[in-house]
Amino acid sequence: GEITSAAAPAEGAGSHALMAMHAIRFARRFGVAYVHTPFAGIRHADRPARDWEAVWEAHFNLGEGEASAGPNAINYALAFPALHALFGYTGGYEAFDEALLRDFRRKYRSNKPPRRNAIFPVCVHVRRRNAHDFHDDDSADLQRLAKTLGHLRSLLDRRGTPYIVRIFSQGDAAGLDALEVAGDALLLDGGPSVTMGELIEGDLLVITKGSFSYVSGLLCDNIVVADAHAFPPPLAHWQSYDSAGRLDIEALDRHLTRAARLEAGS
């Protein structure tokens, strides 16, 4: 048989990509062929639908090296509960192992030029409440996030690391003053694919809630700091901050030291 993923309608780009990643993971796990169906029906389009879908298809590039779906492929997005039961599969989000993540990142980067940051960017994605979105109760906790950013700034200051905190969100600046970022470091209502690209390239990425944040974290091969209480849940090797905004500073310090050594040796 063949597995593909044509996500259900009314989902954003992050959800579509995440469902395709789950389909690939399932297919690899059970030796089933994954055949790629290009993205279609993605929400929040800021241009004609076909152009919008093409942008995200090229952005994630998950079909790179994969066969095209035929008429008999099983749509994982619609059939995964039955497929999991049939194969006795109980894996969740934690089942994205490092080898699979490296493959997703390879696909993502294979059609993009290499990039090296001139200054250490701390890129923060802030999901905000949207009355027209069915996830309208799933916005980031800004007070918690402000405390986390305070801890991160203190650590980077102590290490003597030149850095910039860049906030990516939507809407106006009202309510974001707690994060203590202003001017050209407050990036609102940018193009979504460009925004995600900037998040992925951050030397330190802070994610909050939702698939857009989560997929950015999956494709980032630098340091990821995530809300421990968010869904999807953080991966085991990410750094997590708790309900009070606290995180393991010593562990993060070690990660930064390791990353600096790798950077120096590259």
Side-chain angles (χ1 to χ4, degrees):
E2 297 178 337
I3 297 289
T4 189
S5 177
E11 293 287 345
S15 294
H16 277 250
L18 188 54
M19 185 59 73
M21 290 174 174
H22 282 304
I24 293 170
R25 180 195 64 183
F26 181 88
R28 302 285 194 268
R29 169 69 175 79
F30 293 103
V32 179
Y34 172 76
V35 290
H36 188 69
T37 299
F39 292 135
I42 301 175
R43 294 186 80 211
H44 311 303
D46 61 4
R47 65 198 75 183
R50 287 188 179 179
D51 293 344
W52 182 245
E53 292 153 9
V55 163
W56 286 110
E57 184 66 28
H59 179 80
F60 295 114
N61 203 29
L62 290 169
E64 191 267 338
E66 308 289 353
S68 298
N72 297 319
I74 298 172
N75 185 353
Y76 181 85
L78 301 180
F80 70 87
L83 286 169
H84 287 192
L86 179 64
F87 285 85
Y89 182 55
T90 58
Y93 287 90
E94 73 282 355
F96 283 118
D97 60 49
E98 189 55 39
L100 188 57
L101 292 176
R102 282 196 300 269
D103 194 41
F104 292 151
R105 294 166 189 157
R106 178 193 60 78
K107 288 172 179 282
Y108 172 80
R109 295 187 184 281
S110 66
N111 62 352
K112 299 171 184 65
R115 172 171 161 176
R116 193 183 186 99
N117 294 316
I119 188 171
F120 191 95
V122 178
C123 294
V124 186
H125 180 241
V126 181
R127 180 168 188 155
R128 301 176 80 188
R129 212 174 282 265
N130 180 348
H132 303 293
D133 191 331
F134 59 79
H135 293 301
D136 63 351
D137 61 344
D138 200 21
S139 55
D141 185 320
L142 294 179
Q143 296 304 315
R144 179 189 304 170
L145 184 57
K147 292 175 183 176
T148 299
L149 292 181
H151 294 309
L152 293 176
R153 288 185 175 104
S154 295
L155 173 59
L156 292 170
D157 288 340
R158 188 168 72 247
R159 291 176 60 90
T161 302
Y163 68 93
I164 182 170
V165 177
R166 305 174 72 202
I167 303 295
F168 297 84
S169 189
Q170 69 277 358
D172 57 36
L176 294 175
D177 47 327
L179 304 182
E180 298 182 5
V181 171
D184 58 4
L186 190 60
L187 301 154
L188 304 175
D189 295 325
S193 62
V194 174
T195 293
M196 185 180 284
E198 291 296 311
L199 295 172
I200 291 167
E201 296 293 349
D203 285 330
L204 195 157
L205 170 60
V206 182
I207 61 175
T208 52
K209 294 183 175 184
S211 298
F212 191 96
S213 259
Y214 189 78
V215 170
S216 300
L218 294 180
L219 294 176
C220 177
D221 44 17
N222 295 316
I223 297 171
V224 178
V225 176
D227 186 339
H229 300 280
F231 185 84
L235 298 185
H237 67 277
W238 291 351
Q239 299 296 302
S240 299
Y241 55 94
D242 65 16
S243 58
R246 296 171 300 209
L247 65 163
D248 189 336
I249 289 294
E250 292 183 1
L252 181 56
D253 193 25
R254 291 193 295 270
H255 276 274
L256 288 166
T257 298
R258 190 178 308 118
R261 287 172 179 165
L262 289 173
E263 179 74 12
S266 62

